[in-house]
Structure formats: C-alpha cells, structure tokens
Amino acid sequence: MNLSLGVKVLLVVICALVSIIIGIVAALVIHKPSSPKGPSFLYGGGVFGGSLTLCLVVLTSLGVL
C-alpha cells in the first residue's frame, strides 16, 4: 500500500489512543481498593506498551506502515 505520511501518522495516533484505553482498562481491572495504586499504574503501562507494540507489528506486517 502506498499511503501518504499523514495517513500513516493518523494510524499510529489511533493505535496509541486504543492502546491507552486498553492500558487504562487493565489498570482498573487489576486495582483493588485496599492496595496502593503504584502497581496498577505499572501494570497498565506494561499493557499499554504491549498492545501498542502488537498493533504496530500487525500494521507493519500488513504493509500499511
């Protein structure tokens, strides 16, 4: 695919926003009211990094990026 630079940037931004939402949901699911918030932030950050990497690898393998 021959996409313009603007479309590629838009796809990367969409991947980042979707990954942020996934990370927030994962942090909310892992957090317990009696525990500190630090470990849930770290877990959400890890999930964000993993989902962003997965999304970009899939787009690269499809030939979009």
Side-chain angles (χ1 to χ4, degrees):
M1 274 186 179
N2 241 350
L3 298 175
S4 67
L5 180 64
V7 173
K8 290 180 181 181
V9 169
L10 182 64
L11 286 172
V12 170
V13 168
I14 288 171
C15 285
L17 291 175
V18 168
S19 297
I20 287 172
I21 292 171
I22 292 171
I24 289 171
V25 169
L28 288 175
V29 167
I30 200 77
H31 179 67
K32 295 179 180 70
S34 61
S35 65
K37 294 179 184 166
S40 65
F41 284 144
L42 289 175
Y43 187 79
V47 170
F48 163 75
S51 64
L52 182 62
T53 303
L54 180 66
C55 184
L56 292 178
V57 165
V58 167
L59 288 178
T60 304
S61 67
L62 290 174
V64 175
L65 294 181

